[in-house]
Amino acid sequence: MMMKREIGIVCGWQRLIPQIVLDKFKYGVFGFHASPLGLPFGKGRSPMNWSIISGYPQVYNHCFQYNSEADDGLLYSTTELEIFECDDILSLKKKVLIDM
């Protein structure tokens, strides 16, 4: 019998994690999602890219527990991060990483 891992951390993954994988962690799998409208709005792939392309002035960076649905788990924290005119995807990703 394999012992369960304690906790999983995900950052930058753009696929659903199957329930069979989520079940291998005692306390769950946690990740981050930064989107311009905040969850439950703004679900989906590449939300930071679309935030810049669409001209949004902010993203909401969420820490949440994964479940088998897209960007749908329990939210543990939300931080509003400003997008400046000089920001590009690399600078925005750095802001999100620092916020974690």
Side-chain angles (χ1 to χ4, degrees):
M1 183 171 102
M2 187 174 175
M3 190 171 82
K4 276 192 168 188
R5 291 152 181 86
E6 299 262 330
I7 189 171
I9 304 292
V10 176
C11 181
W13 188 249
Q14 292 193 8
R15 303 281 188 263
L16 294 178
I17 298 175
Q19 192 64 48
I20 193 169
V21 174
L22 297 173
D23 290 342
K24 294 183 183 289
F25 293 87
K26 182 176 180 181
Y27 297 108
V29 176
F30 299 84
F32 299 86
H33 181 85
S35 64
L37 302 176
L39 293 175
F41 313 103
K43 293 181 180 185
R45 293 183 181 174
S46 305
M48 290 190 296
N49 297 60
W50 286 110
S51 299
I52 293 170
I53 291 166
S54 301
Y56 283 95
Q58 81 289 317
V59 291
Y60 297 95
N61 191 29
H62 305 282
C63 174
F64 69 101
Q65 185 172 8
Y66 274 70
N67 63 26
S68 59
E69 301 296 319
D71 306 321
D72 191 51
L74 291 172
L75 291 177
Y76 286 91
S77 71
T78 301
T79 305
E80 182 178 353
L81 303 173
E82 191 171 354
I83 299 174
F84 297 110
E85 192 173 307
C86 61
D87 278 323
D88 59 16
I89 191 60
L90 293 177
S91 63
L92 189 55
K93 283 183 178 183
K94 286 178 185 176
K95 287 181 186 182
V96 168
L97 287 171
I98 290 168
D99 184 57
M100 288 189 222

